[in-house]
């Protein structure tokens, strides 16, 4: 695709992106909700999105399915008051919807399997009903314009201007970083074009490529993205990515996964070390009484190498007599 | 004198290893397909009386005799109990058998509660009586078709007497008046050797008593300890490398467990040798399930005494990892988890690579119990913490097989467990996980592309062949 056509497409998407932004007021409600209030909180939304990512990855769905699913989810949550107990059903139906328009028929995982692996409590028919509700409320027809849309366009544009950079500017890496950001509700407020640009610039900075950054400026001017907005989101992105890369500690809020094993294995698991019936026999140290009959006694020679012979013959003192006396005297 | 008989050494069964009567599948004998076995009556190598009934003069009860006379009466009763009766013949000497049984019973009580009865003369008489009763050549087992896991053991017919003799001996050894310095003249290496041979008895009750007897002897006779350890070594080595037959492995291991538990630090080289040269190879034996719990206990005790032994132990287990027996593989995984439960983080780092390479193979096993057992490691909090600390090394090793099984395994429960494991990894080290996913995907795509190119190449060749065929003689090759 040549540069001119790409820029045109960029503009078109830029104009459309507002239609796919979640209601800001709705997002604010979620962010401000308390844990105990019986409402969906930012934390619970983030955890659900992380679960969605796990499932996407597990079933081999594309990043596009994930991003579409999150877009649907955020828009729905910002519009409707959803009870926490329905959250997993909503999110899974978003994923299923998204996958259906994105993935090949043969790669689609059936609803039962999604529910089973996701360890959810509802049925496939529940899922079907929820999908209908989501479709209706969001007037879902086709794919939304998301940060991924822009990311892909930006990437292509950059490459047309700097083809020798093909290997270094990795779209996969950018997608992974986008995914990391989408797992935090704070980024749902960002305009997709801005978020994508912030990610792009972050990566270009880490590659220390001046000429690529020049291209990103070009894009910014073309779309008339204000500096302040870009700066703000660039900071957020940088912080999020550094958190993401740092070693994580265990999450206490996370729902504990079920470990279902077969009966046989379960039986064997609990036959751990049984308490022995025989009392411990302490080993005597270099004891005179232990070697009363030097002919019978066999002590190791005292050298710690594993090459010494196994259990010497019960003939003659192993340890030279004069040394033994010396040892005992010490 | 009646009852005076030698005890010849135990004859080693020299049965051939091939058993043509048992069906073989894939080279392994099928347990389920066996001829119905006739239960052979227990034979005995004990000398049988020539049909003359045994007569013993009934003696008064110990409690009915004044205390100063008791020691002498005690000796007389011991001597009487040296007479061994034939239990193969269930009808002979019934009255005398009952007399001996009640006498033995009386002796058991006497030894337990009395004071001042143990004179120096008593020791040789006690040892003689016990020797006469218990030391015998064990009847050979039902050739090599006896499966210790499935078949009923042949029980000792003379158990009514034998049990009381063992009971008596144990209480004698445990008695407050017992003096090892006197006893060691009679309980010597020869005695111990004969005792050890009896551990091959098929009767589990007998082995249980023997276990207690040997345990007490080991505890009290310091001068015999090294000898006992050496003989047990020999038994095990013979078991592993020559015969694969010995019924008393579990009991001996239980005794060893209590010995290992009492090892002084630093561990002597002899003990470390024992661990590496005897205990680890014991894992290779086919009948491992009979004594695995005791063996695992010994291993873990060793490691708790000296953590630096962890590396040789785990490398040893990995070297002997079962390749065709899934039941054993599950046992190994259980033992490995017990070892990991007590492992020190520094030791863990030393063996993590070969260890997780093996776990990665187990997790991909088509045998679902093996896969399940291996995956369950991720439910162990301590192991998880170790994995988390070293995720950058472990995740790349596990990733490919986990990802592959998530798509390919036939068992849905396994697939669900794999999800748990992958999710855990994802949270542990997100960036590394992303990298590995990307690499995996691009590798798969490259493979697919190659596959496609190969197919197209073949197709081209086919077309060429067809064209060539048409051109030369106009006949289309079939």
């Amino acid at each position: 695709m040549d540069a001119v056509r790409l820029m045109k497409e960029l503009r078109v998407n830029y104009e459309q992106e507002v239609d796919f932004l979640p209601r800001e007021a709705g997002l604010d409600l979620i962010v401000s909700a308390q844990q105990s209030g019986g409402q969906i909180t930012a934390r619970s939304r983030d955890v659900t999105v992380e679960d969605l990512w796990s499932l996407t990855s597990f079933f081999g769905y594309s990043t596009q399915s994930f991003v579409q699913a999150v877009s649907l989810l955020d828009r729905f949550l910002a519009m409707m008051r959803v009870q926490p107990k329905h959250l997993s059903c909503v999110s899974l139906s978003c994923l299923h919807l998204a996958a259906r328009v994105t993935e090949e028929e043969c790669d689609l995982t059936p609803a039962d399997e999604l529910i089973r692996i996701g360890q959810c409590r509802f049925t496939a028919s529940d899922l079907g009903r929820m999908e209908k509700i989501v479709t209706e409320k969001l007037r879902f027809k086709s794919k939304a314009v998301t940060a991924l849309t822009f990311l892909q366009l930006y990437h292509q544009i950059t490459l047309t201007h700097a083809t020798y950079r093909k290997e270094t500017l990795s779209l996969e890496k950018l997608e992974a970083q986008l995914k990391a950001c989408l797992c935090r509700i704070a980024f749902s407020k960002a305009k997709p074009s801005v978020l994508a640009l912030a990610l792009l610039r972050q990566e270009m900075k880490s590659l220390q490529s001046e000429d690529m950054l020049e291209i990103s400026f070009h894009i910014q001017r073309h779309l008339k993205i204000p500096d302040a907005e870009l700066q703000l989101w660039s900071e957020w992105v940088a912080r999020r990515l550094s958190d993401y890369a740092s070693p994580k500690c265990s999450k206490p809020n996370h729902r504990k996964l079920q470990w279902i094993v077969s009966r046989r294995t379960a039986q064997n698991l609990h036959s751990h070390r049984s308490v022995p019936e025989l009392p411990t026999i302490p080993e005597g140290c270099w004891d005179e009484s232990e070697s009363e009959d030097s002919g019978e006694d066999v002590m190791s020679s005292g050298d710690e190498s594993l090459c010494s012979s196994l259990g010497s013959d019960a003939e003659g003192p192993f340890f030279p007599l004069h040394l033994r006396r010396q040892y005992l005297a010490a | 004198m009646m009852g005076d008989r030698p005890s010849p050494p135990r004859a080693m069964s020299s049965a051939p290893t091939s058993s043509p009567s048992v069906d073989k599948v894939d080279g392994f004998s099928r347990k389920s397909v066996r001829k119905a076995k006739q239960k052979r009556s227990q034979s005995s190598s004990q000398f049988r009386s020539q049909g003359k009934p045994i007569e013993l003069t009934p003696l008064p009860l110990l409690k009915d005799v004044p205390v100063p006379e008791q020691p002498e009466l005690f000796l007389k009763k011991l001597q009487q109990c040296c007479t061994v009766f034939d239990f193969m013949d269930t009808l002979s000497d019934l009255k005398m058998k009952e007399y001996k049984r009640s006498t033995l019973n009386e002796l058991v009580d006497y030894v337990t509660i009395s004071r001042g009865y143990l004179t120096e003369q008593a020791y040789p008489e006690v040892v003689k009586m016990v020797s006469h009763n218990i030391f015998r050549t064990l009847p050979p087992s039902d050739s090599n078709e006896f499966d210790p896991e499935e078949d009923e053991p042949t029980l000792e017919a003379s158990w009514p007497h034998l049990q009381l003799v063992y009971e008596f001996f144990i209480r004698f050894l445990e008695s407050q008046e017992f003096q090892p310095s006197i006893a060691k003249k009679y309980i010597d290496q020869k005695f111990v050797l004969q005792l050890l041979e009896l551990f091959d008895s098929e009767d589990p009750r007998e082995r249980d008593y023997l276990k207690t007897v040997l345990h007490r002897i080991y505890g009290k006779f310091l001068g015999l300890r090294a000898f006992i350890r050496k003989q047990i070594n020999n038994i095990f080595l013979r078991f592993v490398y020559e015969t694969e037959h010995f019924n008393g492995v579990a009991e001996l291991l239980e005794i060893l467990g209590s010995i290992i538990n009492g090892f002084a630090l630093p561990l002597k080289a002899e003990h470390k040798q024992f661990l590496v040269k005897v205990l680890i190879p014991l894992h290779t034996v086919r009948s491992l399930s009979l004594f695995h719990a005791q063996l695992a206990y010994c291993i873990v005790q060793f490691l708790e005494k000296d953590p630096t032994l962890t590396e040789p132990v785990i490398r040893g287990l990995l070297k002997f990892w079962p390749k065709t027996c899934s039941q054993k593989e599950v046992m190994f995984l259980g033992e490995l988890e017990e070892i990991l439960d007590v492992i020190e983080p520094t030791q863990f780092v030393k063996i993590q690579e070969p260890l997780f390479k093996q776990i990665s193979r187990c997790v991909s096993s088509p045998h679902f119990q093996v896969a399940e057992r291996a995956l369950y490691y991720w439910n162990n909090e301590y192991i998880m913490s170790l994995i988390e600390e070293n995720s950058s090394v472990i995740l790349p090793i596990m990733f490919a097989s986990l990802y592959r099984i998530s798509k390919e395994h036939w068992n849905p429960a396994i697939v669900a467990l794999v999800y748990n494991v992958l999710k855990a990894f994802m949270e542990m080290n997100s960036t590394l996980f992303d990298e590995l996913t990307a690499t995996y995907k691009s590798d798969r795509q490259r493979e697919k592309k190659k596959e496609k190119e190969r197919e197209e190449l073949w197709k081209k060749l086919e077309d060429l062949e067809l064209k060539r065929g048409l051109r030369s003689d106009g006949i289309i090759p079939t």
Side-chain angles (χ1 to χ4, degrees):
Chain A
M1 246 207 195
D2 68 294
V4 175
R5 285 221 335 246
L6 282 171
M7 292 309 238
K8 258 214 189 124
E9 192 168 332
L10 199 56
R11 267 235 84 85
V12 166
N13 280 300
Y14 186 71
E15 276 150 26
Q16 290 180 346
E17 71 173 343
V18 276
D19 298 334
F20 298 102
L21 279 174
R23 265 182 69 233
E24 190 161 334
L27 288 176
D28 286 335
L29 261 175
I30 297 173
V31 169
S32 59
Q34 293 300 320
Q35 195 77 29
S36 51
Q39 296 167 312
I40 292 177
T41 61
R43 183 89 189 106
S44 55
R45 176 267 178 203
D46 289 344
V47 165
T48 291
V49 171
E50 280 173 1
D51 286 344
L52 278 184
W53 174 247
S54 306
L55 288 169
T56 306
S57 174
F58 189 75
F59 290 117
Y61 287 165
S62 59
T63 313
Q64 176 72 278
S65 296
F66 172 70
V67 174
Q68 291 295 323
V70 175
S71 167
L72 286 169
L73 180 66
D74 281 338
R75 280 186 279 149
F76 191 77
L77 291 179
M79 185 193 292
M80 313 283 298
R81 205 187 185 90
V82 178
Q83 284 179 50
K85 62 181 177 177
H86 294 145
L87 183 56
S88 59
C89 189
V90 172
S91 62
L92 217 60
S93 55
C94 290
L95 182 62
H96 205 211
L97 282 170
R100 238 189 275 133
V101 296
T102 313
E103 306 291 334
E104 305 268 342
E105 181 82 40
C106 54
D107 293 329
L108 272 182
T109 306
D112 310 288
E113 186 67 356
L114 262 179
I115 294 170
R116 185 181 81 91
I117 294 293
Q119 296 175 11
C120 303
R121 298 291 180 96
F122 47 84
T123 65
S125 50
D126 290 333
L127 193 71
R129 263 178 289 141
M130 187 58 80
E131 280 177 52
K132 280 215 187 74
I133 297 171
V134 171
T135 313
E136 260 178 50
K137 293 289 176 191
L138 294 179
R139 276 177 276 227
F140 173 67
K141 285 187 198 78
S142 57
K143 291 191 203 157
V145 171
T146 64
L148 186 62
T149 321
F150 287 100
L151 214 53
Q152 286 167 339
L153 281 170
Y154 293 164
H155 185 255
Q156 277 183 296
I157 290 169
T158 310
L159 290 187
T160 56
H161 289 280
T163 44
Y164 58 91
R165 280 293 188 177
K166 194 152 186 269
E167 296 85 49
T168 41
L169 191 67
S170 155
L171 183 60
E172 277 95 28
K173 186 161 179 215
L174 288 166
E175 288 183 4
Q177 289 171 334
L178 172 61
K179 173 261 295 181
C181 292
L182 290 178
C183 288
R184 293 289 175 267
I185 194 172
F187 294 92
S188 308
K189 272 199 204 167
K191 283 171 80 177
S193 54
V194 181
L195 179 58
L197 192 59
L199 279 165
L200 190 76
R201 285 178 56 81
Q202 179 76 17
E203 181 62 9
M204 286 171 175
K205 269 192 211 145
S206 72
L207 290 171
Q208 292 174 327
S209 166
E210 284 304 322
D211 41 335
M212 285 208 282
L213 279 167
E214 188 57 44
I215 300 170
S216 74
F217 274 126
H218 185 57
I219 295 172
Q220 185 192 356
R221 280 194 296 272
H222 183 79
L223 294 176
K224 300 200 187 67
I225 295 173
D227 272 339
E229 198 180 340
L230 185 60
Q231 182 63 23
L232 172 71
W233 288 111
S234 296
E235 278 169 24
W236 278 81
V237 163
R239 219 178 308 151
R240 173 66 186 137
L241 290 182
S242 92
D243 281 344
Y244 186 71
S246 68
K248 283 192 181 165
C249 48
S250 57
K251 287 159 269 299
N253 289 340
H254 233 126
R255 177 194 61 183
K256 205 158 186 298
L257 294 168
Q258 294 174 330
W259 291 83
I260 303 170
V261 290
S262 64
R263 189 176 51 92
R264 269 264 189 95
T265 303
Q267 277 170 354
N268 289 332
L269 285 174
H270 298 292
S271 64
H272 263 272
R273 292 184 271 153
S274 50
V275 179
E277 298 162 14
L278 297 173
T280 307
I281 302 175
E283 186 179 28
C285 317
W286 288 87
D287 219 336
E288 195 76 85
S289 57
E290 192 158 1
S291 52
E292 269 166 40
D293 285 16
S294 59
E296 279 183 43
D297 181 49
V298 273
M299 294 303 215
S300 80
S301 60
D303 77 271
E304 296 301 295
S305 81
L306 287 178
C307 305
S308 56
S309 63
L310 182 64
S312 29
D313 280 331
E315 294 158 42
F318 207 92
F319 212 60
L321 221 44
H322 68 281
L323 282 177
R324 190 200 286 164
R325 269 191 247 115
Q326 225 176 34
Y327 183 98
L328 285 174
Chain B
M1 184 189 126
M2 280 289 193
D4 209 316
R5 63 196 96 249
S7 35
R10 163 128 171 71
M12 286 310 261
S13 61
S14 53
T17 46
S18 63
S19 43
S21 58
V22 180
D23 274 15
K24 286 194 195 285
V25 177
D26 296 334
F28 304 111
S29 56
R30 259 257 180 93
K31 280 186 193 164
S32 52
V33 183
R34 274 185 206 249
K35 290 207 273 253
K37 285 170 41 175
Q38 302 147 293
K39 217 34 185 125
R40 270 176 43 184
S41 60
Q42 187 198 46
S43 57
S44 175
S45 63
Q46 302 274 27
F47 175 73
R48 277 175 219 189
S49 59
Q50 301 301 319
K52 264 199 310 193
I54 303 170
E55 282 301 330
L56 294 170
T57 332
L59 293 168
L61 294 178
L62 282 160
K63 64 177 171 92
D64 296 337
V65 152
V67 170
E69 291 173 39
Q70 282 177 355
E72 208 194 306
L73 183 55
F74 178 62
L75 291 181
K76 288 211 185 94
K77 285 187 186 262
L78 283 174
Q79 283 156 7
Q80 278 197 329
C81 288
C82 285
T83 312
V84 178
F85 289 89
D86 179 9
F87 277 80
M88 288 297 111
D89 184 350
T90 48
L91 299 174
S92 70
D93 298 317
L94 285 176
K95 199 159 145 246
M96 287 293 107
K97 281 177 186 171
E98 175 50 36
Y99 172 68
K100 179 178 172 183
R101 196 202 60 77
S102 68
T103 307
L104 283 171
N105 223 341
E106 195 194 0
L107 290 174
V108 168
D109 290 335
Y110 185 66
V111 159
T112 312
I113 57 177
S114 301
R115 303 272 171 272
Y117 68 96
L118 214 47
T119 61
E120 250 199 73
Q121 295 96 314
Y123 286 80
E125 293 302 321
V126 166
V127 175
K128 190 163 106 177
M129 187 277 279
V130 170
S131 303
H132 271 107
N133 277 279
I134 68 175
F135 292 152
R136 65 211 192 275
T137 304
L138 295 170
S141 63
D142 287 338
S143 69
N144 42 313
E145 287 190 34
F146 172 64
D147 183 353
E149 295 176 40
E150 284 198 2
D151 300 331
E152 289 291 311
T154 314
L155 297 179
E156 186 55 52
S158 51
W159 192 246
H161 285 175
L162 218 49
Q163 181 192 11
L164 292 169
V165 173
Y166 279 119
E167 195 68 57
F168 167 77
F169 193 42
I170 290 172
R171 304 214 186 178
F172 168 72
L173 290 169
E174 290 176 347
S175 162
Q176 277 182 345
E177 304 188 5
F178 180 78
Q179 291 182 49
S181 47
I182 304 176
K184 70 179 191 173
K185 284 183 245 171
Y186 311 102
I187 298 179
D188 55 4
Q189 289 188 358
K190 182 157 174 275
F191 185 90
V192 163
L193 211 48
Q194 290 173 303
L195 199 68
L196 282 168
E197 282 169 13
L198 286 177
F199 272 82
D200 200 15
S201 167
E202 266 185 44
D203 194 330
R205 307 168 297 185
E206 178 165 22
R207 293 199 303 266
D208 197 64
Y209 272 111
L210 284 164
K211 179 181 73 180
T212 312
V213 167
L214 187 59
H215 179 264
R216 305 299 189 253
I217 289 179
Y218 189 92
K220 292 177 189 280
F221 294 85
L222 278 65
L224 285 174
R225 286 188 182 181
F227 177 77
I228 293 175
R229 288 198 304 270
K230 184 181 168 201
Q231 293 310 315
I232 294 181
N233 270 357
N234 289 347
I235 290 174
F236 283 168
L237 288 172
R238 230 180 358 244
F239 174 63
V240 171
Y241 293 112
E242 291 177 26
T243 63
E244 279 214 24
H245 169 93
F246 192 77
N247 293 312
V249 178
E251 286 80 9
L252 289 176
L253 282 171
E254 224 180 299
I255 297 174
L256 281 167
S258 68
I259 296 173
I260 296 169
N261 215 344
F263 277 160
L265 294 172
L267 282 185
K268 299 205 176 77
E270 173 203 331
H271 303 324
K272 295 189 208 179
Q273 281 273 58
F274 171 68
L275 171 65
V276 171
K277 293 281 170 68
V278 181
L279 286 189
I280 302 285
L282 260 179
H283 288 82
T284 61
V285 170
R286 219 181 107 182
S287 51
L288 180 64
S289 60
L290 294 177
F291 54 85
H292 184 244
Q294 292 87 349
L295 180 58
Y297 177 78
C298 286
I299 299 280
V300 174
Q301 284 308 296
F302 253 110
L303 296 180
E304 288 196 312
K305 286 277 170 184
D306 185 356
T308 63
L309 294 170
T310 307
E311 192 175 349
V313 164
I314 294 189
R315 283 195 190 274
L317 286 181
L318 291 177
K319 185 168 82 166
F320 292 132
W321 200 268
K323 299 202 173 17
T324 54
C325 184
S326 306
Q327 187 201 24
K328 259 180 130 192
E329 230 182 316
V330 174
M331 280 191 264
F332 268 59
L333 283 167
E335 182 172 345
L336 203 52
E337 186 171 0
E338 287 183 45
I339 293 174
L340 290 175
D341 268 334
V342 302
I343 199 171
E344 288 185 353
T346 43
Q347 295 297 319
F348 180 81
V349 170
K350 286 191 193 164
I351 41 86
Q352 59 183 347
E353 273 184 64
L355 177 65
F356 279 90
K357 285 204 179 106
Q358 178 59 254
I359 294 178
S360 168
R361 283 192 285 266
C362 289
V363 147
S364 330
S365 169
H367 192 289
F368 87 94
Q369 267 190 287
V370 173
E372 199 175 42
R373 189 67 185 85
L375 288 167
Y376 204 70
Y377 276 20
W378 273 259
N379 198 26
N380 182 315
E381 268 187 51
Y382 182 59
I383 296 181
M384 275 299 278
S385 68
L386 292 167
I387 294 177
E388 226 169 297
E389 266 173 43
N390 299 283
S391 58
S392 51
V393 173
I394 297 175
L395 181 47
I397 298 175
M398 298 291 310
F399 188 84
S401 35
L402 283 173
Y403 219 81
R404 203 186 63 244
I405 346 164
S406 71
K407 311 247 172 292
E408 292 177 6
H409 207 276
W410 61 270
N411 188 310
I414 299 292
V415 174
L417 288 177
V418 170
Y419 175 73
N420 285 2
V421 174
L422 280 173
K423 195 155 168 55
F425 269 131
M426 212 181 284
E427 288 164 12
M428 251 184 239
N429 197 329
S430 313
T431 37
L432 179 57
F433 195 90
D434 290 337
E435 275 172 41
L436 290 169
T437 314
T439 324
Y440 186 84
K441 282 204 174 127
S442 64
D443 283 347
R444 290 288 297 131
Q445 276 179 348
R446 238 203 317 252
E447 270 175 42
K448 270 194 190 156
K449 207 169 134 211
K450 262 201 211 155
E451 207 35 68
K452 224 168 147 217
E453 282 171 11
R454 210 179 300 148
E455 273 181 41
E456 281 172 15
L457 182 60
W458 278 109
K459 191 141 193 321
K460 268 198 213 143
L461 288 171
E462 263 181 54
D463 289 343
L464 269 175
E465 187 63 35
L466 271 169
K467 283 196 205 137
R468 203 167 62 101
L470 279 173
R471 251 193 303 220
S472 62
D473 47 19
I475 302 171
I476 302 166
T478 44

